[in-house]
Amino acid sequence: MSETSSGPTDARRLGGILAPVLTPFHADLSPDARRLARHCRWLLGHGCAALAPFGTTSEANSLSVEERESLLDAILQDGVPADRLLPGTGACALPDAVRLTAKAVRHGCAGVLMLPPFYYKAVSEDGFFRFFAEVIERVGDARLRIYLYHFPPVAQVGFTAKLVERLLRAYPRLVAGMKDSSGDFTYTKTMLDGFAATGFDIFVGSERFLLAGMRGGGAGCISATANVNAASIDRLFRAWKSPEAEALQAEVDAVRGAVEKVPLIPALKAIVAHHAADPGWLTVRPPFVDLTPAQRDALLADLAALELAMPELRA
Amino acid sequence: MSETSSGPTDARRLGGILAPVLTPFHADLSPDARRLARHCRWLLGHGCAALAPFGTTSEANSLSVEERESLLDAILQDGVPADRLLPGTGACALPDAVRLTAKAVRHGCAGVLMLPPFYYKAVSEDGFFRFFAEVIERVGDARLRIYLYHFPPVAQVGFTAKLVERLLRAYPRLVAGMKDSSGDFTYTKTMLDGFAATGFDIFVGSERFLLAGMRGGGAGCISATANVNAASIDRLFRAWKSPEAEALQAEVDAVRGAVEKVPLIPALKAIVAHHAADPGWLTVRPPFVDLTPAQRDALLADLAALELAMPELRA
């Protein structure tokens, strides 16, 4: 599938469209590993170059460390290839981040996507550097590839250019890239201009910025809506140099616009539930709540008008 | 020690000064249970009516669930009475919050102090209600007393008056009070006027608001600086109706002002390290960093001028 050519440091690198995979729950709110594995397989067959389970969209911060571990085991056992996985392993507590990251590396995952520790807000650049340095040293494995997860609108803390530069200088091969969910293309441009040429792979956090990101030297996109629209987003990724690129960008923007009218995670689950004819997908963990029936109807009507295609999801 | 008279629902209630107990670490960044237990004993002997371990000041969100559990076991085994403990048990993940809360209740803790799940930001009042309702139902123990931890400057999310009202209506005995660290006395006043008379105990999150809080019907104060200045803060608590109250308030404000000039948690650890003649206390976990020697010297000089007394800390 869509992988960019080898970069300067690694033989194989991630590129293209990645979904931060939705986490399905049973009615009692326990995670549903079977539905998760099935969704992973479907995504890999329908536009996703790789998967980023345990991201924001996965409700990963609503999962315990043990739940994240056992879900990773489950999807690997189900046959999802480790080299197409970029699990989220960030955590507020250093031992949790080390434990999750070490496990991902041990299993041969392509990389890990790490939020900075996000509880404390008045934290210095030194403090964040120290946190990542401790994770890297404690994991102590040259196979580790960390993708920095920059998401100030939710995490409230993030990565300055100076911090990225410092991490890259200290750990040039291990710090491999970034998911930029800032929603601020000025920031994205700073990252692209400053670091993309050195082999630091920048994924935009929404397909709205995919074309602009690719034109600036980006590696692809890791986006919530890839859970339901990866094939179209991947088409844009593959055609970004072509004359149709602007039209393909407008198409994926329209779907994103429809989904963003309501709370994003319950909306995506409602779309999967509808197309898979599986109401079990609707369940979200607190602090989220389900969409109201009216919100759900409006969302599905909007998407029907856009002819969102999710083939074979029932299978 | 300082306990208020029985409220309408419980024979014994917490009141007075509580310290969110600093968590000491070994040089390898593992928690130091022995130093923690010693500090707990010292605090209970020097002005603290009770203790709130695993709060923000405790770097609790930098601890794994297992670490929080084993430190609680350690201080209980050391003889700290459970009915003088209000451990922090809030977490982003429902199973973590349930597990920590159930354990605290099982051990007979006076109550638990719970942050709302703080990762996701666009969360509805319904979502927070659902989270706390799930914790309460899953813990399923009538002895549970939840104190809501309102700290928008750091957690970014918090408790509206409507949410407090809804929780109190659904769980009138179990939802027992609040630590209000908003730093906004208009909010505090809304809580005091709306709920204090019904037996909902409101602790201000900084001694700066202690006198105003007590005049408005508050129950005391749970403050970071109680780790180093509880005796003086307790003197103010006991004398709040007396003519000296304003002067006592000014005294504790002066200490708070000196400590707040530098990052609070490393500052408090530096003060304890100095007075206990125990440099082991200096260690903070990432994402925090130690004070610089210059910051430490300036802080200790400021406090020396204020004659901060920390008797017998060496013992």
Side-chain angles (χ1 to χ4, degrees):
Chain A
M1 302 247 347
S2 37
E3 276 196 328
T4 56
S5 60
S6 325
T9 52
D10 282 289
R12 277 171 62 86
R13 301 175 74 91
L14 292 172
I17 310 312
L18 281 77
V21 188
L22 290 163
T23 305
F25 295 105
H26 294 288
D28 69 357
L29 303 179
S30 62
D32 182 339
R34 196 182 51 83
R35 271 196 183 88
L36 176 64
R38 201 168 48 193
H39 190 50
C40 286
R41 282 199 306 271
W42 184 81
L43 288 168
L44 288 174
H46 293 85
C48 283
L51 302 173
F54 319 124
T56 298
T57 308
S58 318
E59 299 172 73
N61 288 308
S62 301
L63 301 174
S64 70
V65 167
E66 289 80 3
E67 287 172 337
R68 284 157 82 162
E69 288 190 326
S70 77
L71 288 174
L72 179 61
D73 287 337
I75 59 180
L76 287 167
Q77 274 160 25
D78 193 73
V80 175
D83 64 1
R84 292 172 78 182
L85 286 177
L86 183 68
T89 63
C92 291
L94 178 66
D96 292 342
V98 170
R99 175 174 161 183
L100 290 166
T101 303
K103 183 182 175 81
V105 174
R106 218 162 44 235
H107 281 294
C109 290
V112 297
L113 186 56
M114 285 190 68
L115 278 171
F118 53 81
Y119 179 66
Y120 295 103
K121 301 305 182 293
V123 167
S124 65
E125 215 161 81
D126 264 2
F128 287 123
F129 179 83
R130 188 179 172 223
F131 185 91
F132 282 94
E134 284 290 344
V135 171
I136 291 169
E137 303 291 349
R138 284 167 190 241
V139 170
D141 192 315
R143 293 171 299 169
L144 172 61
R145 294 293 176 274
I146 293 184
Y147 292 75
L148 308 173
Y149 186 4
H150 182 68
F151 196 7
V154 170
Q156 304 287 320
V157 295
F159 300 89
T160 61
K162 218 174 126 191
L163 175 58
V164 173
E165 199 179 337
R166 197 170 155 195
L167 285 166
L168 278 170
R169 207 166 38 233
Y171 304 103
R173 286 167 50 82
L174 278 61
V175 176
M178 170 178 278
K179 175 183 178 186
D180 172 17
S181 298
S182 64
D184 167 14
F185 198 73
T186 307
Y187 176 89
T188 314
K189 198 79 178 69
T190 305
M191 292 296 128
L192 288 166
D193 293 348
F195 308 112
T198 70
F200 182 75
D201 285 335
I202 294 153
F203 292 83
V204 294
S206 161
E207 64 274 26
R208 285 190 188 281
F209 301 107
L210 180 54
L211 185 51
M214 294 313 295
R215 286 174 176 165
C221 147
I222 306 175
S223 171
T225 31
N227 276 283
V228 299
N229 200 30
S232 297
I233 305 171
D234 184 53
R235 207 171 311 131
L236 167 60
F237 171 73
R238 291 166 182 276
W240 73 268
K241 288 180 184 165
S242 81
E244 305 89 62
E246 300 279 355
L248 292 169
Q249 179 69 64
E251 269 179 44
V252 300
D253 287 353
V255 171
R256 178 104 190 172
V259 177
E260 281 179 344
K261 281 190 200 163
V262 285
L264 189 60
I265 296 168
L268 294 169
K269 287 190 156 179
I271 298 168
V272 174
H274 174 74
H275 285 271
D278 177 2
W281 262 104
L282 291 172
T283 308
V284 290
R285 250 196 193 172
F288 288 117
V289 292
D290 298 347
L291 297 188
T292 63
Q295 284 176 318
R296 200 153 66 219
D297 291 348
L299 169 68
L300 296 173
D302 278 358
L303 290 174
L306 293 167
E307 293 176 25
L308 177 71
M310 295 182 70
E312 299 157 45
L313 191 60
R314 280 164 203 258
Chain B
M1 302 243 352
S2 36
E3 276 195 330
T4 56
S5 59
S6 327
T9 52
D10 283 290
R12 278 171 61 85
R13 299 176 74 92
L14 292 172
I17 310 311
L18 281 77
V21 188
L22 290 164
T23 305
F25 295 105
H26 294 289
D28 69 357
L29 302 179
S30 62
D32 182 339
R34 195 183 52 83
R35 273 195 183 88
L36 175 64
R38 201 168 48 192
H39 189 51
C40 287
R41 283 199 304 273
W42 184 82
L43 288 168
L44 287 174
H46 294 85
C48 283
L51 302 173
F54 318 125
T56 298
T57 308
S58 318
E59 299 171 71
N61 288 308
S62 302
L63 301 174
S64 70
V65 167
E66 291 80 2
E67 288 173 335
R68 283 157 83 162
E69 288 190 326
S70 79
L71 288 174
L72 180 62
D73 287 336
I75 59 180
L76 288 166
Q77 274 159 25
D78 192 74
V80 174
D83 64 0
R84 293 172 78 181
L85 285 178
L86 183 67
T89 63
C92 291
L94 178 66
D96 293 343
V98 170
R99 174 173 161 183
L100 290 166
T101 303
K103 183 181 174 82
V105 173
R106 219 163 42 235
H107 281 293
C109 290
V112 297
L113 186 57
M114 287 191 66
L115 278 171
F118 53 81
Y119 179 65
Y120 296 102
K121 301 304 183 296
V123 167
S124 65
E125 215 161 80
D126 264 2
F128 287 123
F129 179 83
R130 188 177 171 225
F131 184 91
F132 282 94
E134 284 289 344
V135 170
I136 291 168
E137 303 292 349
R138 285 166 190 243
V139 170
D141 192 314
R143 294 171 299 169
L144 172 60
R145 294 293 175 275
I146 292 184
Y147 293 74
L148 308 173
Y149 185 5
H150 182 68
F151 196 7
V154 171
Q156 305 287 321
V157 294
F159 300 89
T160 60
K162 218 174 126 193
L163 175 58
V164 174
E165 199 180 336
R166 196 169 155 196
L167 285 166
L168 278 170
R169 205 165 39 231
Y171 305 104
R173 287 165 50 83
L174 278 60
V175 176
M178 170 178 277
K179 175 184 177 184
D180 171 18
S181 297
S182 64
D184 167 14
F185 199 73
T186 307
Y187 176 89
T188 315
K189 199 78 177 68
T190 305
M191 292 295 128
L192 288 165
D193 293 348
F195 308 112
T198 70
F200 182 75
D201 285 334
I202 294 153
F203 292 83
V204 293
S206 161
E207 64 274 27
R208 285 189 188 282
F209 301 105
L210 181 53
L211 185 51
M214 294 312 295
R215 285 175 175 164
C221 145
I222 306 175
S223 171
T225 32
N227 276 283
V228 299
N229 201 29
S232 296
I233 304 170
D234 184 53
R235 208 171 309 131
L236 167 58
F237 171 73
R238 291 165 182 278
W240 73 268
K241 288 181 185 167
S242 81
E244 303 90 60
E246 301 278 358
L248 293 169
Q249 179 69 64
E251 269 179 46
V252 301
D253 287 353
V255 171
R256 178 102 191 176
V259 177
E260 281 180 344
K261 281 190 201 164
V262 285
L264 190 61
I265 296 169
L268 294 169
K269 287 191 156 179
I271 298 168
V272 174
H274 174 74
H275 285 272
D278 177 2
W281 262 104
L282 291 172
T283 307
V284 289
R285 249 194 193 175
F288 288 118
V289 292
D290 298 347
L291 297 188
T292 64
Q295 284 176 317
R296 200 152 67 220
D297 291 349
L299 169 68
L300 295 172
D302 278 358
L303 290 173
L306 293 168
E307 294 178 23
L308 176 71
M310 296 183 68
E312 298 158 45
L313 191 57
R314 280 164 201 258

